[in-house]
Amino acid sequence: MDSWDNLVYDAMLAYRKTAALTAAVKLDIFTLIGGGAVSSDALAEKTAASSRGMRILCDFLTTMGLLTKQHGAYSATEPAQRYLDRSSPAWIGGSIEFFAAPEMVRLVLDDPVSYVRHGGSAGLAHLAPDHPIWLRYAKAATPIARVAAKRAAVYLATRHAPVTVLDVAAGHGLYGIELAKAFPEAVVTAVDWPSVLELASANAMGSGVSERFRLVAGNAFEVDWGGEFDLIILANFLHHFSPEECATILRRVKSSLSPTGRACAVDFVPNEDRVSPPMQAMFAFSMLATTPGGDAWTQSELDEIAKAAGFRGATARPLRPTPQSLIIFET
Amino acid sequence: MDSWDNLVYDAMLAYRKTAALTAAVKLDIFTLIGGGAVSSDALAEKTAASSRGMRILCDFLTTMGLLTKQHGAYSATEPAQRYLDRSSPAWIGGSIEFFAAPEMVRLVLDDPVSYVRHGGSAGLAHLAPDHPIWLRYAKAATPIARVAAKRAAVYLATRHAPVTVLDVAAGHGLYGIELAKAFPEAVVTAVDWPSVLELASANAMGSGVSERFRLVAGNAFEVDWGGEFDLIILANFLHHFSPEECATILRRVKSSLSPTGRACAVDFVPNEDRVSPPMQAMFAFSMLATTPGGDAWTQSELDEIAKAAGFRGATARPLRPTPQSLIIFET
């Protein structure tokens, strides 16, 4: 080996990669480069950045595999073009404002020993439901939810058509909206905090389904959301809670279903070994750092939770090409 | 492809890796595992951590390539055993307290757009020379300097033997100490802030060279450090400064050499393309984020700086297996 193994240094200094990508997304460098080859001086001029700053940033993005450099000009690599160029339908750049939000970074980096020692953290529970952060997060999560929401709706559309749909912790509302689009008869009830529901409502309006979109403001564990739903969906919800809390909410869900109603969830489901696939497995660490008892639940854990809530079990199916799965709770 | 390309997500969430490694080093997990296979419950017990927290941490370290997992027990991979087990002579775990120090992390992550836009940051210049952070950093940098300091001394030992040595910004003092060990006639003058010199002095004592070790407290750009040195070394110093500042200090260095004296530096020297090798190239971004005008200087830039300071030029040679180079300034 020519030089020290990079693995340990890379890990020590990994936070630099988040910083570089944050700057690149906020200055929209990948959109400016597009399919071309652009010098760092030209990028600096277009973004009102210093030449020196832009050169060092672009070189760093090159070492990260997001750019290539030839004759002093930078081009975007395939994943960068697909996911970080705003003109790409698969753009997810905005989600860095959620994944690398300053509050999240602080929760994860300020005192890692503490959440390992205590088995979790209070997370952002101290922030009130009307704190602007929740709306910001719901917005930032929108680009990454698009594909998963469409895929979930496509899968569910092959089954019987629901008339009443409940979207628990709807956030941006995309899951309910895609279901409303897939089932032209369906009326969707979206539950979330009031400030976040404004975003869901605006998105429903933008998708032309607002007439079949109802809002219920409140805590998903307590609010009266009605009953007799044909389909209830919990997207990116269960990973925040302990198995007991998951069973509690699933009991509420079960008792809110119509006789032929179905319940499902969308989540990161790692393999039973808990260390693969990487993205799904690594998600557990985020939940350790930012929640008191959340986790990335495996198929067998979801099955157990489902049984504790009175379902017959749970089955997870990958929502390819996203890293998430659709989980069906069997009645 | 089975799932979304990991590259972009990995970058967004890269800071988790720094957090996980910080927890692992502080709880000394790799030393506890050693060459064996240990369950996360056993590690939790030994570190007074929660089972849940330790399991999720160990799974995450496995996805990072630092551990492997078999039948519920974790073993350290080769780089983890070599660099993160305290009983290994190559242990560098402690350097995370410098590389991922909370102040550094904040400088890099708080507002990346700002330093790209302005081409640098004020860094930690607001902290007084007697701030405890400098001693903490000098201590944390010790494990990674060991090999480079030895290699530098070995290389220099093949040349003429110096009697008077000046170690500029000595920090832990390891470069001067290794030179004192390599040249039994040499008297070393170590320049740094007073609080840091206490560490250098203690290390010189521990290495049995304290009788040939002199301390000069003050700013390397201003302090009277004497003259007529046979060898002057600037280790991990030039990367903090602009080319003009580097030339200024090198002019001071040149005027402090004896007629046959030599000057050298130890630093990260990327290739002329500035995007390879990865570790050396990526170092430039750390300097953008944490200094007003520092950088990872290439061979040709060092040559230019050397000429501006009155030297004939500069030549960098890799200090394998470290990622650093020894730079010789030609008189």
Side-chain angles (χ1 to χ4, degrees), chain A residues 1-9 11-23 26-27 47-50 52-53 55-57 59-60 62-66 69 79 82-84 92-93 95-96 99-100 104-105 108-109 112-113 115-119 144 147 273-275 278-279 281-286 288 292-295 320-323, chain B residues 1-9 11-23 26-27 47-50 52-53 55-57 59-60 62-66 69 79 82-84 92-93 95-96 99-100 104-105 108-109 112-113 115-119 144 147 273-275 278-279 281-286 288 292-295 320-323:
Chain A
M1 191 168 42
D2 192 345
S3 182
W4 283 2
D5 195 309
N6 284 353
L7 192 61
V8 175
Y9 276 101
M12 285 188 182
L13 291 159
Y15 64 96
R16 292 188 304 197
K17 294 186 182 178
T18 304
L21 186 54
T22 299
K26 289 196 175 175
L27 297 171
T47 57
S50 82
R52 169 181 142 80
R55 167 182 64 76
I56 294 178
L57 175 63
D59 284 340
F60 193 83
T62 303
T63 65
M64 285 172 68
L66 295 171
K69 182 181 187 181
R82 185 162 7 133
Y83 295 120
L84 298 170
I92 55 167
S95 61
I96 201 165
F99 285 130
M104 289 293 180
V105 170
V108 172
L109 270 172
V113 167
Y115 52 80
V116 171
R117 190 153 273 160
H118 299 116
I144 47 166
V147 180
D273 65 11
R274 290 202 144 279
V275 293
M279 215 186 300
M282 290 177 118
F283 188 75
F285 189 78
S286 294
L288 175 68
D295 207 334
R320 296 194 173 94
T322 86
Chain B
M1 193 167 43
D2 193 345
S3 185
W4 284 2
D5 197 309
N6 286 354
L7 192 62
V8 175
Y9 276 102
M12 285 188 181
L13 291 159
Y15 64 96
R16 292 187 305 196
K17 294 185 182 177
T18 305
L21 187 54
T22 300
K26 289 196 176 176
L27 296 171
T47 57
S50 82
R52 170 181 142 79
R55 168 183 62 78
I56 295 178
L57 174 63
D59 284 340
F60 194 83
T62 303
T63 66
M64 285 172 68
L66 295 171
K69 182 181 186 181
R82 186 164 4 135
Y83 295 119
L84 298 170
I92 56 167
S95 62
I96 201 165
F99 285 129
M104 290 292 180
V105 169
V108 173
L109 270 171
V113 168
Y115 52 79
V116 171
R117 190 153 272 159
H118 300 115
I144 48 168
V147 180
D273 65 11
R274 289 203 143 277
V275 293
M279 215 186 299
M282 289 176 119
F283 187 76
F285 189 78
S286 294
L288 176 66
D295 208 334
R320 296 195 174 93
T322 87

Side-chain angles (χ1 to χ4, degrees), chain A residues 32-174:
Chain A
L32 291 170
I33 293 176
V38 185
S39 73
S40 60
D41 278 349
L43 289 170
E45 209 185 310
K46 283 182 190 167
T47 57
S50 82
S51 282
R52 169 181 142 80
M54 187 55 73
R55 167 182 64 76
I56 294 178
L57 175 63
C58 289
D59 284 340
F60 193 83
L61 296 168
T62 303
T63 65
M64 285 172 68
L66 295 171
L67 296 177
T68 57
K69 182 181 187 181
Q70 269 193 315
H71 311 300
Y74 300 86
S75 302
T77 59
E78 196 275 332
Q81 280 194 49
R82 185 162 7 133
Y83 295 120
L84 298 170
D85 179 337
R86 233 173 244 278
S87 64
S88 159
W91 180 79
I92 55 167
S95 61
I96 201 165
E97 309 230 19
F98 171 63
F99 285 130
E103 308 81 16
M104 289 293 180
V105 170
R106 254 171 251 140
L107 280 178
V108 172
L109 270 172
D110 272 4
D111 189 2
V113 167
S114 166
Y115 52 80
V116 171
R117 190 153 273 160
H118 299 116
S121 85
L124 300 175
H126 61 287
L127 300 178
D130 62 348
H131 193 284
I133 203 171
W134 306 119
L135 179 59
R136 186 148 49 82
Y137 285 0
K139 272 186 190 160
T142 310
I144 47 166
R146 260 182 231 293
V147 180
K150 270 192 219 301
R151 289 284 184 286
V154 165
Y155 175 82
L156 293 164
T158 63
R159 304 294 183 273
H160 76 122
V163 175
T164 51
V165 174
L166 178 68
D167 185 357
V168 178
H172 39 62
L174 258 62

Side-chain angles (χ1 to χ4, degrees), chain B residues 63-109:
Chain B
T63 66
M64 285 172 68
L66 295 171
L67 296 178
T68 58
K69 182 181 186 181
Q70 268 193 317
H71 312 299
Y74 300 87
S75 302
T77 59
E78 195 276 331
Q81 280 193 48
R82 186 164 4 135
Y83 295 119
L84 298 170
D85 179 338
R86 234 173 244 278
S87 64
S88 159
W91 180 78
I92 56 167
S95 62
I96 201 165
E97 309 229 20
F98 171 62
F99 285 129
E103 307 81 16
M104 290 292 180
V105 169
R106 253 171 252 141
L107 280 179
V108 173
L109 270 171

